[in-house]
Amino acid sequence: MVKKNSTFFYIFLFVSSTILSQNNSGEILYGQRVEKIYGDTTSIDNSNLKSVIIEQFEEKQKALSSDKSYYTLKFQDSKSVFTTVNLMNNDGNKKLSNKLSKGIYFINIVDKSIYRKGNFMGENLIIYNDKQPYDDWQIKKEQKVIRGHNCIKAETTRQNEMGIKTKVTAWFSTDINLNFGPKNYFGLPGLIIELHELDSVYYVREINFKNVKLDLEDKRIISYEEYVKKVNVSIRF
């Protein structure tokens, strides 16, 4: 009887450790859709400029009209990498790629460090930021179900490298004990299931717990403050 109980105990430990290890690693697929033009076009007097803005918005909305996975978020323990999925090399996908979020985001939620890799102003860089480029999250009372997940609303204000501030809304689920989200958004007490930023909505399509490997290529690393200076200089000239 003792032997039988001990055998059951070791099986329980093995199964539990396997589940825990799976929960520490995996891949989340995100889609993207475009809901509305960001900003008030009625205040634009220049009719040509207004028509260009509307045309570009409609092109982006059409390109992202399919419910597909456009991004992958791989996570392992306290770290994550968010990037676009590999698309087949054809003219249609090239046009689509131009509508997607650029760069690769590498996050460490323990020390809140953010590395963003990409081509910025014609130069391949990894931009390092030791803090979130947005205010602390304000968790609201609103709740709703999104794609079968019970979600809670949270809001923040982000500031880009040119100092422009915008409101960002996230819907996160405490049912999924992960503090990650799309792009460089993280730190909520649950996975961000849906994120509203500017004209776009990023949403979870699939969650897979599995072993993954996180890679960050070696490029020139500059601080976010240094990058902001480079942007401001380029704007002035």
Side-chain angles (χ1 to χ4, degrees):
M1 182 70 176
V2 175
K3 184 178 179 181
K4 186 176 181 180
N5 287 339
S6 63
T7 302
F8 173 78
F9 176 73
Y10 285 120
I11 292 173
F12 173 77
L13 280 181
F14 173 75
V15 172
S16 299
S17 62
T18 302
I19 292 172
L20 286 173
S21 64
Q22 287 178 340
N23 287 338
N24 288 338
S25 164
E27 181 181 30
I28 300 164
L29 299 176
Y30 278 89
Q32 180 184 356
R33 66 178 184 270
V34 179
E35 286 195 334
K36 58 183 179 181
I37 296 177
Y38 183 76
D40 183 12
T41 56
T42 59
S43 61
I44 301 175
D45 296 328
N46 189 318
S47 59
N48 290 331
L49 176 60
K50 185 187 294 187
S51 63
V52 168
I53 292 173
I54 294 173
E55 184 180 348
Q56 289 178 344
F57 165 77
E58 290 175 346
E59 286 178 359
K60 184 176 180 181
Q61 192 175 47
K62 183 179 179 180
L64 296 169
S65 60
S66 300
D67 182 15
K68 295 180 179 179
S69 297
Y70 296 120
Y71 305 94
T72 172
L73 188 150
K74 294 182 180 179
F75 63 91
Q76 187 177 59
D77 298 323
S78 63
K79 299 176 182 178
S80 70
V81 174
F82 180 86
T83 185
T84 55
V85 299
N86 290 324
L87 299 172
M88 293 180 62
N89 190 18
N90 58 50
D91 291 338
N93 284 335
K94 285 179 182 178
K95 292 180 181 179
L96 174 60
S97 296
N98 292 330
K99 311 297 181 185
L100 299 176
S101 176
K102 301 295 188 294
I104 300 172
Y105 297 86
F106 183 93
I107 307 292
N108 186 331
I109 60 176
V110 172
D111 61 12
K112 296 185 178 181
S113 60
I114 303 169
Y115 293 85
R116 186 183 179 192
K117 188 187 82 170
N119 187 288
F120 304 98
M121 295 179 292
E123 191 175 358
N124 288 326
L125 300 172
I126 294 178
I127 301 170
Y128 165 71
N129 201 345
D130 61 356
K131 61 182 179 181
Q132 298 136 274
Y134 48 88
D135 297 337
D136 291 337
W137 289 104
Q138 301 295 317
I139 298 177
K140 306 297 182 178
K141 292 182 179 180
E142 293 104 310
Q143 299 185 26
K144 67 177 179 179
V145 177
I146 302 174
R147 292 182 170 246
H149 302 286
N150 298 311
C151 297
I152 303 169
K153 186 179 183 180
E155 292 180 345
T156 188
T157 301
R158 70 181 282 266
Q159 179 173 305
N160 68 9
E161 54 269 21
M162 292 179 286
I164 300 172
K165 294 184 177 182
T166 55
K167 187 177 81 170
V168 176
T169 300
W171 292 89
F172 68 96
S173 176
T174 56
D175 296 338
I176 306 171
N177 188 27
L178 297 171
N179 306 121
F180 304 112
K183 301 181 72 174
N184 56 353
Y185 294 97
F186 64 95
L188 284 165
L191 178 67
I192 296 178
I193 301 298
E194 188 174 277
L195 182 93
H196 297 244
E197 181 196 54
L198 300 176
D199 62 356
S200 292
V201 178
Y202 303 87
Y203 59 94
V204 168
R205 297 192 71 253
E206 192 175 329
I207 303 172
N208 298 304
F209 291 102
K210 59 183 181 180
N211 292 326
V212 297
K213 184 179 179 182
L214 306 184
D215 294 315
L216 184 65
E217 293 181 16
D218 184 22
K219 298 285 183 184
R220 185 191 165 203
I221 297 179
I222 67 171
S223 69
Y224 181 73
E225 289 75 17
E226 185 181 351
Y227 172 62
V228 170
K229 289 179 182 178
K230 287 170 71 71
V231 171
N232 290 331
V233 168
S234 67
I235 291 173
R236 285 198 297 269
F237 296 97

